[in-house]
Amino acid sequence: MRTIGLEEHFVTPELEGYGASAAAIIQPDKWREASRRLLDITDERLTEMDAAGLDVQVLSLNAPGIQAEQDAGTAVTRAKAVNDLLAGVVENHPDRFAGFAALPLQDPKAAASELERAVSELGMRGALVNAHTQGRYLDDPELRVVWERAEGLDVPLYLHPANGVDAPHVIQGHPELIGPMWSWGTDTASHFMRLVFGGVFDDFPNAKLLLGHMGEGLPFVMWRMDSRWEYHNHHGVELARGNPSEYLRHNLYITTSGVCSAPPLLCSLLALGPERILFGTDYPFEDMATATEFLRSAPISEADRAKIAHGNAERLLRL
Ligand code: GRE
Ligand code: ZN
């Protein structure tokens, strides 16, 4: 079965330094191995893809990527350079790779222009954003220009985790909880809620957001969101669609990246429906073959399996 992965990371030697904050939270030998694989875009990666039965990787720069750059001008230059490089990789292997662009959100207008260039001229399928950009989240009014462009181009933004500005108060003093094991998921789910309640999807009703890691837990809490929103003090905030779950149904797509477990997959299928779930591995941080084997053997219908493996990606990303 054709299989397309949506959370498939790489890095270049020039941009490797941005990964320092992630390196600090991973065991050193594991990080060394991941770094080697991140830098290898087309050699061992293709061999592994063949062995795992992964036909296409939609490549993205590893976290935190360009978001970690403090200088806006440098972010613009480097985002363009890495998008050009990625386009070259895809051009050389059009049946094996596609790409999500990196965006220099430090300069919102330049980021919108780069998204347009990346999609229209370089053939990117959307963009991947790693959490915040120097403390700025995607509901920031200045970033509406990026959403407007994404909606106009009809491409998704993939919101990927990274370290937060600070540790949330409740886990301060617990550095072992910072990272993909815990805080990245809760931070990214909260970021999604900021987009909903910050009006992004009311302003851009056809905007499409991708979340990895089986939706960062959101499918599990959908019912409670609606029930408690009806009960809450709204503090003057209203949602055009009424219930928060409507935004999960209309604007959200999730990937299976980094989650090879049937219960959250079945929950997501029931909560969001089979059209909204796409396959991803989170390579090189997870094992590609474990992920494809999970997809092949998951207790779901063959029709749903085909949608998750390739059908939804073909539609959403025009692959
Ligand atoms: C990930 O993308 O899941 C990831 C990183 C960096 C370190 C660990 C990790 O981007 O799981
Ligand atoms: Zn990832």
Side-chain angles (χ1 to χ4, degrees), residues 207-262:
K208 293 169 174 167
L209 185 88
L210 275 158
L211 287 179
H213 316 119
M214 216 63 97
E216 312 287 5
L218 289 164
F220 198 83
V221 294
M222 249 167 92
W223 190 89
R224 184 161 169 78
M225 261 181 214
D226 289 355
S227 130
R228 294 304 86 185
W229 180 238
E230 251 181 55
Y231 209 65
H232 260 215
N233 182 341
H234 287 196
H235 298 284
V237 175
E238 295 306 335
L239 300 174
R241 291 195 195 270
N243 287 327
S245 72
E246 292 296 316
Y247 299 86
L248 279 80
R249 290 197 184 85
H250 280 94
N251 304 99
L252 179 65
Y253 294 80
I254 70 170
T255 79
T256 62
S257 68
V259 180
C260 299
S261 167

Side-chain angles (χ1 to χ4, degrees), residues 7 9 22-23 25-26 31 62-64 160-161 180 184 213 282 285-286:
E7 197 180 312
H9 304 303
I25 55 182
I26 307 301
W31 183 255
N62 78 318
H160 186 277
W184 285 13
H213 316 119
D282 218 351
F285 304 106
E286 300 276 355

Side-chain angles (χ1 to χ4, degrees), residues 218-220 222 245 248-249 265-273 277:
L218 289 164
F220 198 83
M222 249 167 92
S245 72
L248 279 80
R249 290 197 184 85
L265 173 61
L266 297 182
C267 169
S268 300
L269 266 174
L270 293 171
L272 300 176
I277 306 174

